[in-house]
Amino acid sequence: MLDFAIFAVTFVIVLVGAVLYLYPSSRRASGIPGLNPTDEKDGNLQDIVGRGSLHEFLVSLHQEFGPVASFWFGSRPVVSLGSLQQLRQHINPNHSTDSFETMLKSLLGYHSGGGGASTDSIIRKKVYQGAIDTTLKNNFPLVLKLVDELVGKWKSFPEDQHTPLCAHQLVLAMKTITQLALGESFSEDARVIAFRKNHDVIWSEIGKGYMDGSLEKSTSRKGHYEKALSEMESTLLSVVKERKSQRNKSVFVDSLIQSTLTERQIMEDCMVFMLAGCAITANLCIWALHFLSTSEEVQDRLYKEFEEVLGSSPVSLEKIPQLRYCQQVLNETLRTAKLTPIAARLQEVEGKVDQHLIPKEGESNVFDPDRFEEESVKKSFHLLGFSGSQTCPELRFAYTVATVLLSVLVRQLKLHRLKDTLMEVRSELVSTPRDETWITFSLRN
């Protein structure tokens, strides 16, 4: 039986180096067994759609061709690794590819070499990653300020008021990502609202309209999508020109401007960071708070850790690595939930990660941060491209924002789920719940 452990603990789109690895173009990737493209333009896209999801497609692909199999995503040949043994042989510590970023660029029509192995591509990737790290370091007080404002708003609510979790976390993510990416001009509500309008249109098609082919069949929808994308690109290009004359060089776009990238490349990287960063940050915070609302014990353990590590002081970048249990909570949130619109959910066959057995349709649905106490499990988690590793800089950004949110929230409030609206973690869930998730807060004594 094939070892499908990688499918048990991950959303496929961020299987960096584990599921998707691009090979030089050929009709069949480097002679690896697999599928020829069924369409010159779309590759095996219709085969993926026909199976119902990328996850189901990959399971059937490996059942037919073995642990190493190839297929085509558009014009890109892709190799899928279906076992940890094969994954360990593949890992290259000197260069890694973010498959979510690669797919997002492909869907946006950006051919910027994010997944390539050329020197220019590697340099550009390092510039992108470095820009995110520098931005967090320079603007950490702003993240604290935005989180404090949100928690302060929640504290003012009556204890029986139902709070829309998804809506509030999406606003927090958008405020954070726009200001840290593009600067203080996006502290104006009008600019954030305009960003959200186009953001929502673009994400409504990515992962659905493209994957089921419905976007190409609707002239009006495609026109609406292209208009939103064009407006976003125009806004970003305008910001690039504006920031070139700014003395304050502290946000994401500034770091890109100081590199050798062209204005077009800067715009593309800003677009990817804002779209991917906003979605991943919002969904990580949504699911983390949802799971906390179902477990008073986890909340209390977090509170104890924050008190021991931080005391009465706010969290800092330097203190974050010391918040080990908080990291376990976020790791388990990431393992259990989905953060991107295109994702695989639940392992369909029995697998094993180190000494931990992942039973069929079992363990993945149980939220248990304690599973990450052991170092071997953490290493497996890193191997699969998670836990804010080098392979996904947007995820590192999301982990930082989520840690700040938990450190402020848990020390002041308790979260409670509404018993009549329990949100189940079901295999059909995509990135956020189908319906709004409502919770209540009470003051922590």
Side-chain angles (χ1 to χ4, degrees):
M1 180 180 291
L2 293 175
D3 180 2
F4 284 98
I6 58 175
F7 298 125
V9 294
T10 183
F11 47 95
V12 170
I13 280 310
V14 195
L15 276 186
V16 181
V19 170
L20 301 182
Y21 182 79
L22 304 182
Y23 278 71
S25 180
S26 66
R27 297 297 296 177
R28 177 148 319 158
S30 300
I32 292 174
L35 298 174
N36 287 321
T38 54
D39 182 270
E40 289 296 326
K41 178 182 178 182
D42 295 331
N44 297 115
L45 183 59
Q46 287 305 311
D47 299 316
I48 296 172
V49 172
R51 285 287 179 178
S53 70
L54 182 57
H55 168 66
E56 295 290 345
F57 169 79
L58 289 174
V59 170
S60 65
L61 183 76
H62 286 291
Q63 287 175 341
E64 181 176 357
F65 294 104
V68 180
S70 64
F71 68 99
W72 290 73
F73 185 83
S75 60
R76 293 173 180 266
V78 177
V79 171
S80 177
L81 306 181
S83 74
L84 286 173
Q85 179 182 0
Q86 298 293 336
L87 171 59
R88 290 190 178 99
Q89 296 176 29
H90 164 70
I91 289 296
N92 180 348
N94 298 315
H95 178 62
S96 59
T97 294
D98 185 339
S99 56
F100 177 54
E101 177 190 323
T102 299
M103 184 172 286
L104 181 56
K105 286 183 177 180
S106 177
L107 294 175
L108 293 171
Y110 298 163
H111 304 289
S112 49
S118 69
T119 301
D120 289 344
S121 296
I122 295 172
I123 292 174
R124 182 173 177 184
K125 184 71 173 180
K126 289 182 177 179
V127 169
Y128 182 87
Q129 294 172 339
I132 293 178
D133 293 340
T134 300
T135 298
L136 281 171
K137 182 178 180 180
N138 291 340
N139 297 277
F140 193 78
L142 176 57
V143 178
L144 276 170
K145 175 178 177 291
L146 293 173
V147 169
D148 279 334
E149 290 175 354
L150 177 60
V151 175
K153 181 178 180 179
W154 287 342
K155 285 180 66 177
S156 69
F157 291 169
E159 288 195 359
D160 60 349
Q161 179 165 325
H162 297 181
T163 302
L165 186 57
C166 299
H168 284 205
Q169 293 312 301
L170 183 58
V171 170
L172 174 64
M174 286 187 174
K175 284 185 174 181
T176 305
I177 211 82
T178 52
Q179 292 184 51
L180 267 65
L182 305 178
E184 60 279 356
S185 66
F186 277 80
S187 60
E188 302 172 6
D189 288 344
R191 300 201 77 172
V192 179
I193 290 171
F195 167 77
R196 176 169 185 174
K197 180 189 72 173
N198 291 322
H199 167 277
D200 290 351
V201 171
I202 293 170
W203 272 122
S204 69
E205 300 299 350
I206 292 177
K208 174 173 171 53
Y210 274 107
M211 292 303 290
D212 64 12
S214 61
L215 183 63
E216 292 295 330
K217 298 175 183 178
S218 174
T219 303
S220 61
R221 276 176 57 189
K222 188 174 182 181
H224 196 38
Y225 166 80
E226 290 177 345
K227 181 176 183 291
L229 184 59
S230 177
E231 288 181 358
M232 284 270 280
E233 290 179 343
S234 296
T235 297
L236 293 178
L237 285 170
S238 296
V239 171
V240 172
K241 291 179 170 62
E242 291 170 7
R243 297 294 298 188
K244 281 185 175 180
S245 60
Q246 294 274 341
R247 290 186 177 182
N248 181 18
K249 302 291 187 182
S250 63
V251 297
F252 178 77
V253 68
D254 297 328
S255 293
L256 301 185
I257 289 172
Q258 295 174 61
S259 69
T260 60
L261 300 180
T262 65
E263 287 188 356
R264 175 72 190 184
Q265 289 174 323
I266 294 171
M267 181 278 292
E268 291 179 353
D269 283 356
C270 284
M271 180 75 79
V272 170
F273 174 51
M274 294 177 72
L275 288 177
C278 188
I280 293 173
T281 300
N283 290 331
L284 180 63
C285 292
I286 289 168
W287 285 106
L289 296 193
H290 161 68
F291 287 129
L292 285 183
S293 73
T294 67
S295 176
E296 186 174 349
E297 178 185 356
V298 174
Q299 291 186 58
D300 289 343
R301 288 182 63 180
L302 273 176
Y303 175 81
K304 181 179 179 181
E305 178 176 79
F306 291 141
E307 289 293 296
E308 291 176 349
V309 176
L310 304 177
S312 59
S313 302
V315 69
S316 64
L317 277 175
E318 293 72 26
K319 289 286 187 179
I320 285 179
Q322 299 178 36
L323 300 171
R324 297 175 61 85
Y325 187 68
C326 182
Q327 179 85 5
Q328 288 175 216
V329 169
L330 294 179
N331 285 352
E332 179 67 351
T333 299
L334 182 58
R335 187 198 66 81
T336 309
K338 293 182 180 181
L339 306 188
T340 57
I342 309 172
R345 265 296 303 153
L346 189 63
Q347 175 170 310
E348 299 296 334
V349 296
E350 186 176 279
K352 191 176 183 181
V353 176
D354 288 329
Q355 76 276 20
H356 295 273
L357 188 68
I358 311 294
K360 179 179 179 180
E361 299 188 356
E363 188 180 89
S364 183
N365 280 353
V366 179
F367 184 77
D368 179 17
D370 285 341
R371 77 175 77 251
F372 288 100
E373 281 186 322
E374 297 183 29
E375 196 62 33
S376 61
V377 181
K378 295 177 184 178
K379 289 180 180 179
S380 295
F381 202 57
H382 284 262
L383 180 66
L384 292 169
F386 294 127
S387 193
S389 68
Q390 278 290 90
T391 53
C392 188
E394 298 89 0
L395 186 57
R396 295 204 309 278
F397 181 91
Y399 262 58
T400 302
V401 175
T403 300
V404 173
L405 176 62
L406 296 184
S407 73
V408 175
L409 173 61
V410 171
R411 286 192 286 174
Q412 300 183 49
L413 296 169
K414 287 188 176 183
L415 297 83
H416 311 280
R417 69 170 176 85
L418 303 183
K419 291 182 173 58
D420 58 340
T421 58
L422 175 61
M423 179 179 67
E424 296 179 4
V425 183
R426 301 185 301 270
S427 61
E428 66 266 31
L429 288 175
V430 184
S431 56
T432 56
R434 291 181 181 274
D435 301 311
E436 179 59 87
T437 301
W438 301 85
I439 61 174
T440 61
F441 298 102
S442 62
L443 292 174
R444 182 174 285 278
N445 297 325

